[in-house]
Structures are given as structure tokens and as C-alpha cells.
Amino acid sequence: MPLALLALAVGAFGIGTTEFVIMGLLPDVAVDLGISLPAAGHLVSAYALGVVIGAPLLAAVTARMPRRRVLIALMVLFVAGNALSALAPDDRWLLAARLLSGLPHGAFFGVGAVVATSLAAPDRKARSVSLMFLGLTVANVAGVPAATLMGQHLGWRATFLAVSAIGVAAIASLALLIPADGTGAPAAGLRGELTALRSLPVWLALGTTVAGFGALFAAYSYITPMLTDAAGYTDASVTLLLALFGVGATIGNLLGGRLADHSLRGTLFGGLAALTAVLSLFPLLMAAPWTAALAVTLLGTAAFVTGSPLQMMVLEKASSAPSLASSANQAAFNLANAGGAWIGGLTLAAGYGVTSPAVAGAALAALGLGVAAVAYAVDRGTAMRPAAHERLVATHVPERAETLQP
């Protein structure tokens, strides 16, 4: 695998760290800026909003630029957002800085996936995407806990300065390791990129992402009360269990990339089916501490097995103009985050019990499997029409030839 993928992984590590570390620092931020905890929670929403806005917007704006230059520019924006977060004098400044930090997130992963596949051999494209996403999953295992610990001891501003330093390292890695000649400016331009979004298979792929990862976040958003109220863990133990989720996600990410290179559809269907099964069993698995720990690990594995196949499916369906569609898929991931958490919350508000969000997640995973099946049927129908046309032409050509005989 090309060393250039390391540069993409470093950028992904920084982005994954800054996205999730704020959740562990919210109490410190609230006290330091003199705001309530719910008001501090808007910082999480501001970042997610930045991702959803920035993913298609920046991909469209940079449609004619060489992709290597785009990746470096996105990381410069990322560094600026985190540096401004560290310098924020009040909550409104920090809110704007978090929005700015989120803008390059989706476009970086979207364009990075295109670059990763362009640098890999044909039979290793999905694996190359999974190696880029490895930075994101490792961030959940190591980056977020370390950055949270730093923030608790040195102050939350030190955390954002450290993340900015990671971004600077990513810029240097991208400049040194990504070959300029292998990632030239896309030929399609903005019009071609927008045309790719008019394809039904692309929208079915995006719909599969929203439903599939909405299933994950329906359960994961409420994993702490499940572990404490149902499984009997203490609050202090939850951090370790969330690290198990990160371990499972890392395993699933690498496994999904390897399997998808052999069978893209099979890996996607298998991952969504496994996610449906794991979430359906959550109420039973949360009945004991050891099975709850297993459930958290399996949740990470099953969900992230589908990550690379979903990204590859979008790239495949928008092969002539992939940057915007690939970035839109990252926006779909964040819509899944917000939508899944909202649906999981509805089950709790209805009084169905602390593990009910997982059951709602199982229904979403099954929905994702259904959308993927529809996408497969559409592909088969599209593939069969040209074949039927060729058979029709082959049937009539000899007859016409015979009429021309003297």
C-alpha cells in the first residue's frame, strides 16, 4: 500500500480527535466560559452543522483544483478552526470556531477517499479507503482519551492547541507524501460533479449510509445509560468500555476494507445484517456486565465493517465525477448521527426502556439493508437492459444479412 495513505490517516486522526473530544470536555468548557451544560452542548451541534454544510459546499468550490492542493487547503482550514477554538474569549466565538472546524471534515474524507483509491491497485481500493479511515477509528481508541486527559489537567484550550499541531503534521505529511502528478485536477469540473448527484444509484447509496449509520448512532448516543442502568457498570468504567467500542470499530474498519475488495455487495449486506442482529440482541446482552462489554465491541465491529463498502459504492456510482458525491456521503454520515440520536431519543421519551434505542437502531439497520437491496435490484436491471438490447440486435442482424444476398 502506498505510503501516501499515512498522510491521509494522520489527517483523519486529527479530525476524529477534534470531533469527539469536545464531548468529554463540555463540563470544563461550561465552567470556564460561565455557561450552562446544555448551552455547551451546542458546540457538538455546531461542529456537525459545519460538516453537513462544508462537505458538499467545499467539494463543489474546489471541483477544478488539484486534489493534493485541496487536501492541504482543507487541513489549513482545520488548523485555523482549532487554533481559534483555543483562543476563544467567549462561547459565541467558540461556537463559530467549532463550526469552522467542522467545515473541512466531510470534504477531506470525501476527496481523500478519491485520492486513496487512485493511488491503490485495482484489487486494493476498498482496503486503501479503510486505511485512511483507520486514523478516525484509532482517534477513538487513543486520540480522544489522551486529548481528554490533557484537557482535564492542562485546560481545554491546550487540547485544541494539540489538535492544531496534529493538523500541522498532517499538512506536512500531505505535502511530502501525496504525489502531485497522481492527483491532478478532476476533468469533470463543477457541472460534472453536480450531474453525478442526479443519479438514482448515488442517492440509494447515500440513503443506505443514512439508515445504516443512523442505526449505530440511535444506540451509541445512549450507550452510557445502557451500561450504567441496565448492565450495572459505574460511571468511571464507561470510558474503558467506550475504548472497547473503538477497538471493535478499528477491527471492523480493517476487516470491511479487506472483504470489500473481494465482494463489495456481499460485505455491505453482511455488515448490515450483522448490525441488525447485534442491535436486536442488545436488550439481552445488556443484562450482564461481560455480555454488555461484548455487545459494545461487536457494535463497533459490525457498524464499521460497512464504512468502506458504503464509501466505495458511492465512488463506484459516481465514477466520472466522484469528489462531490464522496463528500456528500460524509454529510450523510453526520445526518445519520443527528437523525439516529433523535430516533433513539423518541423511544426513551415514549417510556420503552433504557435499551429501546438499540431496538430502534435494529429497525434502521434493517431499513438500510432494504435500501441496499433496492440499489442492487436497480443495478441488475440497468445491467440487463444493454444485454437484452445486444441479444435483440444479434437476433435481427443475420436476417437482414440474408435479405441482402443476391
Side-chain angles (χ1 to χ4, degrees):
M1 302 299 286
L3 190 60
L5 294 178
L6 176 62
L8 296 173
V10 172
F13 178 81
I15 289 174
T17 300
T18 201
E19 179 181 17
F20 295 108
V21 74
I22 188 65
M23 299 173 189
L25 297 177
L26 284 182
D28 302 283
V29 173
V31 171
D32 186 52
L33 297 181
I35 58 176
S36 67
L37 194 58
H42 294 158
L43 298 172
V44 179
S45 302
Y47 185 93
L49 180 62
V51 178
V52 174
I53 294 173
L57 179 63
L58 292 180
V61 168
T62 60
R64 284 287 187 186
M65 292 175 58
R67 292 183 178 121
R68 176 172 175 263
R69 190 183 304 169
V70 171
L71 290 170
I72 293 173
L74 291 171
M75 286 311 301
V76 169
L77 186 61
F78 171 82
V79 170
N82 282 280
L84 289 172
S85 296
L87 300 173
D90 55 43
D91 60 308
R92 284 179 292 183
W93 177 299
L94 185 56
L95 198 69
R98 287 295 291 170
L99 177 68
L100 180 64
S101 300
L103 288 176
H105 177 127
F108 181 88
F109 282 111
V111 176
V114 177
V115 172
T117 55
S118 71
L119 296 174
D123 61 340
R124 288 174 175 250
K125 290 185 179 295
R127 205 176 312 178
S128 69
V129 172
S130 72
L131 288 177
M132 179 188 69
F133 281 116
L134 183 63
L136 184 63
T137 57
V138 170
N140 282 281
V141 179
V144 172
T148 302
L149 192 63
M150 175 185 290
Q152 291 170 346
H153 286 82
L154 301 178
W156 60 270
R157 298 177 190 274
T159 295
F160 288 115
L161 287 176
V163 172
S164 298
I166 296 172
V168 172
I171 291 171
S173 300
L174 292 167
L176 291 173
L177 300 178
I178 301 274
D181 57 347
T183 58
L190 178 57
R191 181 176 296 179
E193 296 282 353
L194 291 173
T195 300
L197 287 183
R198 292 162 57 184
S199 166
L200 176 60
V202 169
W203 282 104
L204 288 172
L206 294 175
T208 306
T209 297
V210 172
F213 271 79
L216 166 64
F217 288 110
Y220 189 69
S221 300
Y222 305 97
I223 197 68
T224 296
M226 289 189 210
L227 292 170
T228 55
D229 297 353
Y233 281 101
T234 63
D235 291 336
S237 303
V238 171
T239 302
L240 178 60
L241 290 163
L242 295 184
L244 286 179
F245 172 84
V247 171
T250 302
I251 294 171
N253 176 55
L254 293 174
L255 183 63
R258 183 173 291 272
L259 293 176
D261 279 326
H262 296 285
S263 175
L264 180 62
R265 294 282 186 181
T267 305
L268 180 58
F269 288 150
L272 289 171
L275 184 59
T276 304
V278 169
L279 288 170
S280 298
L281 292 172
F282 244 61
L284 295 175
L285 295 174
M286 284 291 158
W290 75 271
T291 53
L294 177 64
V296 171
T297 308
L298 291 176
L299 177 63
T301 303
F304 279 83
V305 158
T306 65
S308 296
L310 285 169
Q311 194 71 35
M312 286 301 301
M313 190 161 69
V314 171
L315 289 172
E316 180 184 278
K317 301 310 171 191
S319 57
S320 60
S323 295
L324 183 56
S326 182
S327 298
N329 196 44
Q330 297 304 311
F333 279 117
N334 279 267
L335 287 174
N337 188 337
W342 176 69
I343 290 173
L346 289 179
T347 65
L348 290 175
Y352 288 117
V354 72
T355 59
S356 60
V359 179
L364 284 173
L367 175 62
L369 193 58
V371 176
V374 171
Y376 177 66
V378 169
D379 283 351
R380 281 183 60 85
T382 303
M384 289 175 65
R385 280 195 294 271
H389 175 72
E390 290 172 5
R391 287 195 299 270
L392 183 63
V393 171
T395 301
H396 288 281
V397 165
E399 296 176 1
R400 292 186 62 190
E402 290 172 4
T403 61
L404 295 175
Q405 296 294 325

